[in-house]
Amino acid sequence: MGPALTLSRLLLKLLAVTGVAVGATAAVSFAWTAIGGGPLGLHGLIALSLGVSGTVGLSWALMALAFRSSREGWDDRPDNPDKP
């Protein structure tokens, strides 16, 4: 088992996820304005931020589960495949 998740490591990871979400929101907002979509209002920015944050969070959680499954052998075949 790896080192315990300390408060500083957790805050650093949350800061990284927040930074990615802010950067992606800004990039999409600028791209939307560049293609002639008009400026996004407050509600549009909030919806975009929630969508990006949800996507980043879901991706992070699913990748963490995939890595944990790989490390702990959840997907390995049983020793005797004939036994249920």
Side-chain angles (χ1 to χ4, degrees), residues 68-84:
R68 184 172 181 183
S69 170
S70 175
R71 285 186 195 133
E72 295 182 7
W74 292 347
D75 298 330
D76 293 344
R77 295 192 82 147
D79 291 337
N80 187 356
D82 295 332
K83 282 178 119 179

Side-chain angles (χ1 to χ4, degrees), residues 2-75:
L5 188 64
T6 62
L7 182 61
S8 62
R9 287 183 64 199
L10 178 65
L11 289 176
L12 187 62
K13 286 184 179 187
L14 287 176
L15 182 65
V17 169
T18 303
V20 168
V22 167
T25 300
V28 170
S29 179
F30 290 137
W32 176 257
T33 307
I35 64 171
L40 288 175
L42 177 63
H43 293 105
L45 288 174
I46 290 171
L48 182 62
S49 299
L50 289 174
V52 167
S53 298
T55 302
V56 169
L58 182 62
S59 299
W60 182 42
L62 291 174
M63 287 304 296
L65 285 173
F67 284 123
R68 184 172 181 183
S69 170
S70 175
R71 285 186 195 133
E72 295 182 7
W74 292 347
D75 298 330

